[in-house]
PDB file of all heavy atoms in Angstrom:
ATOM      1  N   ALA A  15     108.164   1.838-165.469  1.00  0.00           N
ATOM      2  CA  ALA A  15     109.528   1.633-165.951  1.00  0.00           C
ATOM      3  C   ALA A  15     109.513   1.180-167.411  1.00  0.00           C
ATOM      4  O   ALA A  15     110.318   1.636-168.216  1.00  0.00           O
ATOM      5  CB  ALA A  15     110.258   0.600-165.085  1.00  0.00           C
ATOM      6  N   ALA A  16     108.584   0.302-167.764  1.00  0.00           N
ATOM      7  CA  ALA A  16     108.483  -0.176-169.149  1.00  0.00           C
ATOM      8  C   ALA A  16     108.093   0.975-170.073  1.00  0.00           C
ATOM      9  O   ALA A  16     108.624   1.107-171.175  1.00  0.00           O
ATOM     10  CB  ALA A  16     107.458  -1.302-169.252  1.00  0.00           C
ATOM     11  N   ALA A  17     107.182   1.832-169.632  1.00  0.00           N
ATOM     12  CA  ALA A  17     106.759   2.981-170.449  1.00  0.00           C
ATOM     13  C   ALA A  17     107.928   3.938-170.656  1.00  0.00           C
ATOM     14  O   ALA A  17     108.125   4.451-171.753  1.00  0.00           O
ATOM     15  CB  ALA A  17     105.585   3.696-169.791  1.00  0.00           C
ATOM     16  N   GLN A  18     108.726   4.179-169.618  1.00  0.00           N
ATOM     17  CA  GLN A  18     109.866   5.057-169.745  1.00  0.00           C
ATOM     18  C   GLN A  18     110.926   4.465-170.657  1.00  0.00           C
ATOM     19  O   GLN A  18     111.576   5.177-171.396  1.00  0.00           O
ATOM     20  CB  GLN A  18     110.462   5.372-168.378  1.00  0.00           C
ATOM     21  CG  GLN A  18     109.573   6.284-167.544  1.00  0.00           C
ATOM     22  CD  GLN A  18     110.107   6.462-166.144  1.00  0.00           C
ATOM     23  OE1 GLN A  18     110.935   5.703-165.674  1.00  0.00           O
ATOM     24  NE2 GLN A  18     109.582   7.465-165.448  1.00  0.00           N
ATOM     25  N   ALA A  19     111.099   3.156-170.620  1.00  0.00           N
ATOM     26  CA  ALA A  19     112.082   2.506-171.472  1.00  0.00           C
ATOM     27  C   ALA A  19     111.682   2.581-172.942  1.00  0.00           C
ATOM     28  O   ALA A  19     112.534   2.505-173.818  1.00  0.00           O
ATOM     29  CB  ALA A  19     112.263   1.046-171.042  1.00  0.00           C
ATOM     30  N   ALA A  20     110.417   2.745-173.192  1.00  0.00           N
ATOM     31  CA  ALA A  20     109.921   2.797-174.569  1.00  0.00           C
ATOM     32  C   ALA A  20     110.047   4.196-175.177  1.00  0.00           C
ATOM     33  O   ALA A  20     109.659   4.404-176.316  1.00  0.00           O
ATOM     34  CB  ALA A  20     108.461   2.345-174.608  1.00  0.00           C
ATOM     35  N   THR A  21     110.599   5.157-174.427  1.00  0.00           N
ATOM     36  CA  THR A  21     110.767   6.507-174.955  1.00  0.00           C
ATOM     37  C   THR A  21     112.248   6.808-175.127  1.00  0.00           C
ATOM     38  O   THR A  21     113.111   6.112-174.593  1.00  0.00           O
ATOM     39  CB  THR A  21     110.125   7.557-174.016  1.00  0.00           C
ATOM     40  OG1 THR A  21     110.814   7.552-172.769  1.00  0.00           O
ATOM     41  CG2 THR A  21     108.659   7.298-173.813  1.00  0.00           C
ATOM     42  N   ALA A  22     112.513   7.871-175.871  1.00  0.00           N
ATOM     43  CA  ALA A  22     113.892   8.338-176.077  1.00  0.00           C
ATOM     44  C   ALA A  22     113.876   9.853-176.026  1.00  0.00           C
ATOM     45  O   ALA A  22     112.807  10.478-176.090  1.00  0.00           O
ATOM     46  CB  ALA A  22     114.412   7.849-177.420  1.00  0.00           C
ATOM     47  N   THR A  23     115.051  10.453-175.901  1.00  0.00           N
ATOM     48  CA  THR A  23     115.123  11.914-175.891  1.00  0.00           C
ATOM     49  C   THR A  23     116.127  12.384-176.928  1.00  0.00           C
ATOM     50  O   THR A  23     117.056  11.652-177.314  1.00  0.00           O
ATOM     51  CB  THR A  23     115.531  12.467-174.496  1.00  0.00           C
ATOM     52  OG1 THR A  23     116.818  11.929-174.150  1.00  0.00           O
ATOM     53  CG2 THR A  23     114.503  12.126-173.446  1.00  0.00           C
ATOM     54  N   ALA A  24     115.945  13.620-177.356  1.00  0.00           N
ATOM     55  CA  ALA A  24     116.841  14.268-178.308  1.00  0.00           C
ATOM     56  C   ALA A  24     116.867  15.752-177.956  1.00  0.00           C
ATOM     57  O   ALA A  24     115.881  16.285-177.463  1.00  0.00           O
ATOM     58  CB  ALA A  24     116.347  14.066-179.737  1.00  0.00           C
ATOM     59  N   VAL A  25     117.986  16.405-178.223  1.00  0.00           N
ATOM     60  CA  VAL A  25     118.130  17.826-177.890  1.00  0.00           C
ATOM     61  C   VAL A  25     118.404  18.633-179.159  1.00  0.00           C
ATOM     62  O   VAL A  25     119.303  18.290-179.954  1.00  0.00           O
ATOM     63  CB  VAL A  25     119.246  18.036-176.847  1.00  0.00           C
ATOM     64  CG1 VAL A  25     119.425  19.518-176.532  1.00  0.00           C
ATOM     65  CG2 VAL A  25     118.941  17.250-175.570  1.00  0.00           C
ATOM     66  N   PHE A  26     117.637  19.709-179.321  1.00  0.00           N
ATOM     67  CA  PHE A  26     117.761  20.604-180.469  1.00  0.00           C
ATOM     68  C   PHE A  26     117.713  22.048-179.987  1.00  0.00           C
ATOM     69  O   PHE A  26     117.039  22.363-179.013  1.00  0.00           O
ATOM     70  CB  PHE A  26     116.581  20.401-181.432  1.00  0.00           C
ATOM     71  CG  PHE A  26     116.475  19.021-181.990  1.00  0.00           C
ATOM     72  CD1 PHE A  26     115.669  18.069-181.379  1.00  0.00           C
ATOM     73  CD2 PHE A  26     117.180  18.650-183.124  1.00  0.00           C
ATOM     74  CE1 PHE A  26     115.565  16.790-181.878  1.00  0.00           C
ATOM     75  CE2 PHE A  26     117.078  17.372-183.644  1.00  0.00           C
ATOM     76  CZ  PHE A  26     116.263  16.431-183.018  1.00  0.00           C
ATOM     77  N   ALA A  27     118.387  22.939-180.716  1.00  0.00           N
ATOM     78  CA  ALA A  27     118.316  24.373-180.449  1.00  0.00           C
ATOM     79  C   ALA A  27     117.899  25.065-181.738  1.00  0.00           C
ATOM     80  O   ALA A  27     118.515  24.869-182.778  1.00  0.00           O
ATOM     81  CB  ALA A  27     119.655  24.907-179.969  1.00  0.00           C
TER      82      ALA A  27
END
Side-chain angles (χ1 to χ4, degrees):
Q18 288 174 344
T21 64
T23 59
V25 178
F26 300 93

